[in-house]
Amino acid sequence: MQLDQPLSEKELDDLDQFLLGERTPEDAMTLDHLHGYMTAIAIGPETIMPAEWIPRIWGDDGQQVPKYKNDKEADRIFNLIMRFYNEVTITFEVAPKEFEPLFVEYEEDGKPLMNAEAWCWGFWEGMELRPGSWDEIWDSEIGALMRPIYLLGADEIEEEELPEVEDPVKAHKLALEIEANLPAIHKFWVPRRKAAVSTVKREEPKVGRNDDCPCGSGKKYKKCCGAGTEA
């Protein structure tokens, strides 16, 4: 399956069920959490390679991995994750105004509402991979567009801000604002986005071509995240 092929409904459900399953670490992301995480990585200020961001899907420390049944399952989950990510990046490249964040939809007193909290947690975690690099947008003329993500995704907010997120209707309004703001946030970073080679600092020994890939795919580095990195 080509990595630019969007996930079918069944494949999306399969990934959702795997993330929620008993063979994934307890702190593994949910599907909406993952979607927010990948969105921040896809549209943010720096290119981040899968070998860095995929391990954190399974836990904050990046050290945990699922208990795959076999190599075939590991390959399939890696493929689903990469296609899910590529769908985000391609949508922003081709039609950013058509991008739809994966928010939880529910009913409150008979009214359809959206809960964007887990999605925003993911987006915030994606930002924290390169925290200082996001400073420019906060200080820019569109800095206010980031506020709904901050309110729903930050680890801590001011006490006087809590009513904006605790009321379901107000939280729904924030979700709508996030969806409307994302194309402008993406547009801000397009001319500023830095390549991975100029930003990633290696804190661990270099991964050899024949070593297991650190992204947790179960493949050798040369056939996974290291493919195409050598001249």
Side-chain angles (χ1 to χ4, degrees):
M1 182 69 70
Q2 296 295 320
L3 289 179
D4 60 355
Q5 182 72 28
L7 298 186
S8 66
E9 288 296 327
K10 181 183 182 306
E11 289 173 325
L12 199 61
D13 185 61
D14 287 347
L15 180 56
D16 183 29
Q17 293 304 311
F18 184 82
L19 291 169
L20 295 172
E22 295 180 354
R23 291 184 292 110
T24 56
E26 185 177 350
D27 294 333
M29 295 180 179
T30 58
L31 196 66
D32 52 339
H33 190 160
L34 173 60
H35 196 249
Y37 178 64
M38 294 192 301
T39 301
I41 293 166
I43 70 174
E46 300 188 19
T47 301
I48 303 175
M49 301 302 290
E52 180 178 353
W53 62 261
I54 287 181
R56 287 172 171 77
I57 294 173
W58 315 118
D60 290 342
D61 60 7
Q63 301 300 312
Q64 304 178 71
V65 294
K67 297 177 181 177
Y68 297 112
K69 292 180 180 178
N70 47 45
D71 289 345
K72 183 178 180 180
E73 182 181 55
D75 286 348
R76 182 167 188 265
I77 295 302
F78 177 77
N79 181 278
L80 294 178
I81 290 172
M82 288 308 303
R83 286 168 56 204
F84 196 31
Y85 171 76
N86 288 340
E87 187 174 353
V88 172
T89 61
I90 291 171
T91 301
F92 276 107
E93 289 172 2
V94 177
K97 292 183 179 180
E98 295 181 11
F99 181 77
E100 296 182 3
L102 191 62
F103 298 151
V104 172
E105 298 181 8
Y106 69 106
E107 284 193 6
E108 179 87 10
D109 296 329
K111 297 180 180 179
L113 298 174
M114 289 188 294
N115 183 337
E117 193 170 50
W119 189 94
C120 289
W121 292 342
F123 195 98
W124 200 262
E125 288 175 27
M127 290 172 56
E128 289 182 337
L129 294 178
R130 297 290 186 276
S133 296
W134 284 83
D135 289 349
E136 187 175 357
I137 194 169
W138 291 104
D139 298 331
S140 74
E141 69 281 0
I142 69 165
L145 299 184
M146 296 290 294
R147 188 170 184 271
I149 295 174
Y150 151 74
L151 288 173
L152 291 173
D155 293 334
E156 295 182 6
I157 62 175
E158 300 297 328
E159 186 174 353
E160 59 268 22
E161 296 169 330
L162 289 175
E164 295 185 67
V165 302
E166 292 178 341
D167 181 276
V169 175
K170 291 181 179 179
H172 172 78
K173 185 175 181 293
L174 290 174
L176 295 177
E177 290 177 10
I178 291 168
E179 183 168 358
N181 294 348
L182 284 171
I185 295 171
H186 164 256
K187 184 178 180 180
F188 178 86
W189 289 118
V190 168
R192 298 170 170 84
R193 189 169 171 89
K194 300 176 183 177
V197 292
S198 64
T199 57
V200 175
K201 295 181 179 180
R202 188 177 300 280
E203 297 178 352
E204 299 178 354
K206 182 178 179 180
V207 180
R209 282 173 49 78
N210 293 311
D211 292 340
D212 292 337
C213 189
C215 75
S217 68
K219 299 181 180 180
K220 295 300 183 184
Y221 180 70
K222 65 182 179 182
K223 293 184 178 180
C224 188
C225 297
T229 59
E230 296 192 359

